[in-house]
Amino acid sequence: MPSKTRQRELARLRARREAERRQIRRRRALLTYGTLGIIVVVVAVAGGVLLVNRPDSKPSASPSTTSPTATTVAPTGARIDAPTAPATVACGGKLPPRHAHPTSKTPPSGRLAAGHTYTATFQTSCGSFQVRIDPSTAPIAAANFVSLARKGFYDSTWFHRILPGGDNIGVIQGGDPQGNGMGGPGYNIKDEPQKGKPYTKYTIAMAKGSAANSAGSQFFINTTDNNKANWQGAYAVFGKVVSGQSVIDKIGRTPLGGPNGDSPQQAVWIQKLTIKES
């Protein structure tokens, strides 16, 4: 039987070993719970990040992408009959109303009365000017122009072609109800060949095609002396501008463009053309 001393030593040894076992268990517990705590914290943080970044609602469907439909504004007023005319009116003028352009299958047969004076007044977007009609060298063209003007044929038409002059030909051309160089009164008049040098500045003459007897209603006013042009007297001169020459010059300075450089980029309209006989 062990002595008392031996018993006390064994008791202390057991107590020390038990204390060591408890310390090891506490360390393991702390390690286990600490790891779990870290995992919980990480998960919580991650979860918090996910909640913060999650959208409040589902994203809406992407809007359908459709090309806008091109809209064309229909011409109004005088441009209904001459849709190629620029929408911008030159010199700050206004677009004139639509106006009837009567046509006929046969040209007028009458002539202007001898001894009478015929003055044509052009009211345009850029101002007014007057032309004294002279039937002495082209009686057919003179009578035709006066007849058309009295019917209102030239009202609400525009100067659809302009040559700027300078070192080249200078004219302003109008008298086409279609406004594209293709319109006319429905008939043609006979040619009246000119002699000498008729195409001086501010004279007015009938426009025509290359074919014989192809003039109708279109005319041009010379904005420079065009006698150097090889026209060989083909265009019948029937009058000259006697007042408002500065308006002719202004019209001749209209900005130009187009493939041939003779298409006005602003429309100079003949609002009204009247004839005074005296």
Side-chain angles (χ1 to χ4, degrees):
M1 182 172 180
S3 62
K4 292 182 180 180
T5 301
R6 178 65 178 170
Q7 290 178 351
R8 285 196 297 272
E9 289 293 333
L10 291 174
R12 284 197 296 271
L13 180 60
R14 286 195 296 271
R16 187 169 59 252
R17 288 178 177 175
E18 183 62 26
E20 290 176 353
R21 292 191 190 98
R22 287 197 299 271
Q23 188 174 7
I24 291 172
R25 286 197 295 270
R26 284 197 300 271
R27 288 176 179 174
R28 287 177 179 175
L30 288 174
L31 180 61
T32 299
Y33 294 142
T35 301
L36 290 174
I38 293 171
I39 293 172
V40 169
V41 170
V42 170
V43 171
V45 170
V49 171
L50 290 175
L51 287 175
V52 169
N53 291 336
R54 197 176 99 181
D56 295 333
S57 60
K58 293 182 180 180
S60 59
S62 299
S64 58
T65 56
T66 56
S67 300
T69 303
T71 57
T72 302
V73 178
T76 59
R79 292 185 67 239
I80 295 175
D81 298 314
T84 57
T88 301
V89 180
C91 304
K94 295 182 179 180
L95 178 68
R98 188 181 189 186
H99 185 80
H101 306 288
T103 60
S104 175
K105 293 183 179 180
T106 57
S109 58
R111 297 292 183 265
L112 300 183
H116 289 215
T117 300
Y118 296 84
T119 304
T121 299
F122 291 71
Q123 299 176 35
T124 79
S125 307
C126 293
S128 298
F129 62 90
Q130 290 185 324
V131 170
R132 182 69 49 79
I133 306 300
D134 180 8
S136 62
T137 59
I140 297 174
N144 177 66
F145 182 85
V146 169
S147 174
L148 290 172
R150 282 174 166 170
K151 294 176 181 177
F153 184 89
Y154 293 112
D155 297 355
S156 297
T157 61
W158 71 297
F159 288 97
H160 63 275
R161 186 180 185 220
I162 296 177
L163 298 176
D167 295 332
N168 298 310
I169 296 170
V171 301
I172 58 174
Q173 183 172 336
D176 176 8
Q178 295 179 16
N180 57 8
M182 303 299 291
Y187 59 79
N188 298 118
I189 61 176
K190 293 181 179 180
D191 291 341
E192 295 173 287
Q194 303 294 288
K195 298 179 181 180
K197 296 181 178 180
Y199 306 113
T200 56
K201 189 174 183 179
Y202 300 130
T203 53
I204 184 170
M206 293 301 297
K208 63 185 293 293
S210 57
N213 305 318
S214 57
S217 61
Q218 295 187 44
F219 63 88
F220 64 89
I221 298 174
N222 294 288
T223 58
T224 188
D225 190 330
N226 292 316
N227 284 306
K228 293 182 180 179
N230 188 27
W231 291 345
Q232 299 180 350
Y235 306 105
V237 175
F238 61 91
K240 188 172 184 178
V241 178
V242 293
S243 68
Q245 289 88 343
S246 61
V247 174
I248 300 296
D249 297 338
K250 186 185 296 185
I251 296 172
R253 293 192 296 267
T254 302
L256 303 174
N260 298 319
D262 59 359
S263 299
Q265 301 303 288
Q266 300 175 3
V268 179
W269 291 93
I270 299 174
Q271 299 164 335
K272 195 171 185 61
L273 200 167
T274 57
I275 299 294
K276 180 181 179 180
E277 181 181 357
S278 59

